[in-house]
Amino acid sequence: MEAAPASGQDRARGSDEDDRLLARIAAGEQAALVRFMERHGRGLRHFAARYLDSREDAEDVAQDVFVAVWKHAGRFDPNRARATTWLYRIAANRCKDLRRWRRLRAFIGLEDLHELLPADEIDAEAATGARQELARVRAGLRQLPERQRMALLLRAVADLDVPTIAEVMGATVGSVEQLLVRARRALRDRAADADDNKKAMERTSL
Amino acid sequence: MNRDAFERLQRRFGSNITAWPAPYRQEANVFLKGERETGDVNDDEDLDRIVREAAATPGDERALTREVLKRIKPKRSPIFAVGGIAGAWRVPAVATSFSVVLVAAAVLGYMLAGSGAEALDDALLSFAAGEPIPQFLADISGNMRGAL
């Protein structure tokens, strides 16, 4: 077995399986939906959780997306798009709707936007010091503008290429490239700042 | 990912990891590549890999499957299929036909009741005016007998 990154041919194989599964889902086969969820549920949840900054909302989005897949699998046309593109487009739209809804609720005072992902996750990580880098990246993701965050998560978590991300986000390839460059730069700057702070603290403690 | 998790996924998705779904494939690649290096993140791929790791959130996938299957389960149709009839009202021709039938039935019923309807109207008016109940009941029964 080889650890080579997925080639276009390998991705096509995975995509073929998704296409077949969607055809079976469209025919009303629940086992195919279960298999489809096994393949994509985890990635979708991670994407939604980090984009929305809320585990519960991510669960809801994942459920909504797969229910939509069940209802509308017949509309999927493998000649027009890859299954993952279609799936993540549904997820991205659902996430955007949810964010808008949350903003409205925050505006009328029904929700506090800062109470979403549990703070203990960050504190625990910071306290143990074992996974500080990941904690820093999470915090950095949280502070990225929405579109940059979505582009980066679609690239890193969903493993979509730039043209597919552009299709999912309804943007041009150039603008997605820009979003990715900015997002990565912001995360690197943040990491560099954290390193500088750490060194400064070490110097002062000596 | 550790060896156990890797082997579990292998049983689940097959031995060709390049055909695994994205998050599993990426984690397996990292696992097979060995311990990741620490240090500055200069390469886009390295940064994406860290973002992927950072994005991981615990969750119960079986619960997701369970909830989705619960939501897509076909609902049993009620004994009295009111929903089906209500849906028919959305079709203009059906709605018009039903309305015509209902109006015709009401007009016909009023015509058949004839003078009985007037007597009943009188009884109800007297009840509304505050007549005692026994008197009112007597009026109704008298009127009904008269109507029949």
Side-chain angles (χ1 to χ4, degrees):
Chain A
M1 185 190 323
E2 289 181 19
S7 66
Q9 203 181 359
D10 295 322
R11 278 194 182 153
R13 254 202 303 274
S15 181
D16 283 350
E17 181 172 359
D18 286 336
D19 292 351
R20 279 196 297 275
L21 286 173
L22 282 174
R24 285 167 55 198
I25 292 168
E29 205 180 309
Q30 280 193 5
L33 180 68
V34 172
R35 174 76 180 157
F36 196 72
M37 282 192 278
E38 266 182 15
R39 286 177 61 78
H40 298 291
R42 190 180 189 196
L44 203 67
R45 251 189 333 97
H46 291 180
F47 162 74
R50 287 302 153 195
Y51 178 70
L52 295 168
D53 238 5
S54 162
R55 219 173 282 161
E56 285 177 12
D57 284 348
E59 297 289 341
D60 290 343
V61 165
Q63 282 183 30
D64 289 349
V65 169
F66 286 115
V67 170
V69 166
W70 174 255
K71 284 183 182 163
H72 306 300
R75 288 188 201 164
F76 170 69
D77 180 1
N79 298 318
R80 286 179 56 197
R82 275 167 52 191
T84 43
T85 313
W86 186 67
L87 182 74
Y88 277 95
R89 197 187 298 145
I90 299 173
N93 287 336
R94 185 76 191 94
C95 284
K96 281 191 262 184
D97 288 348
L98 204 62
R99 278 195 88 89
R100 269 188 221 119
W101 174 240
R102 267 183 6 197
R103 244 183 257 126
L104 177 70
R105 283 174 62 85
F107 179 71
I108 56 177
L110 291 174
E111 190 173 328
D112 180 3
L113 280 180
H114 301 290
E115 65 180 18
L116 302 163
L117 265 193
D120 59 344
E121 188 180 318
I122 303 161
D123 294 343
E125 278 169 344
T128 58
R131 310 280 279 174
Q132 279 182 349
E133 189 182 27
L134 295 183
R136 208 161 50 206
V137 171
R138 282 185 196 128
L141 279 173
R142 229 172 253 130
Q143 287 177 355
L144 286 179
E146 279 179 31
R147 282 172 65 76
Q148 288 183 24
R149 191 183 335 167
M150 179 175 275
L152 188 60
L153 289 171
L154 287 171
R155 177 73 202 97
V157 179
D159 196 27
L160 301 182
D161 53 23
V162 171
T164 310
I165 296 171
E167 214 177 316
V168 168
M169 293 179 68
T172 62
V173 169
S175 70
V176 169
E177 279 168 352
Q178 280 297 311
L179 289 171
L180 287 173
V181 167
R182 285 186 199 138
R184 286 172 178 141
R185 192 192 300 147
L187 288 184
R188 281 195 188 102
D189 288 349
R190 197 183 160 84
D193 287 348
D195 285 343
D196 289 347
N197 289 341
K198 197 176 165 188
K199 280 174 193 161
M201 281 178 73
E202 280 169 2
R203 269 200 300 273
T204 51
S205 65
L206 286 175
Chain B
M1 177 183 285
N2 55 26
R3 171 60 58 184
D4 281 350
F6 178 75
E7 285 173 359
R8 213 170 32 248
L9 289 171
Q10 229 181 344
R11 284 194 294 275
R12 193 163 152 197
F13 295 116
S15 59
N16 179 14
I17 63 166
T18 54
W20 289 9
Y24 302 107
R25 182 176 66 237
Q26 292 148 352
E27 284 173 26
N29 281 334
V30 171
F31 169 71
L32 291 174
K33 204 171 157 186
E35 286 293 307
R36 70 184 175 82
E37 301 142 22
T38 52
D40 290 341
V41 184
N42 291 321
D43 187 40
D44 283 351
E45 275 187 29
D46 279 348
L47 181 61
D48 289 354
R49 178 173 43 73
I50 294 172
V51 169
R52 184 158 55 244
E53 279 186 52
T57 47
D60 184 356
E61 284 166 63
R62 276 176 297 188
L64 172 67
T65 307
R66 211 169 36 242
E67 289 301 317
V68 171
L69 291 180
K70 205 188 294 174
R71 282 177 60 178
I72 63 167
K73 203 165 77 177
K75 291 179 181 65
R76 290 179 63 191
S77 54
I79 299 166
F80 302 106
V82 179
I85 297 169
W89 280 91
R90 286 188 208 129
V91 182
V94 176
T96 311
S97 311
F98 280 180
S99 304
V100 167
V101 169
L102 283 176
V103 170
V107 169
L108 197 67
Y110 200 79
M111 283 168 68
L112 284 175
S115 61
E118 275 173 32
L120 199 60
D121 284 350
D122 290 344
L124 285 169
L125 275 173
S126 55
F127 174 63
E131 256 183 47
I133 295 290
Q135 180 59 40
F136 169 71
L137 289 174
D139 284 352
I140 288 225
S141 55
N143 289 333
M144 295 294 281
R145 269 197 300 275
L148 293 171

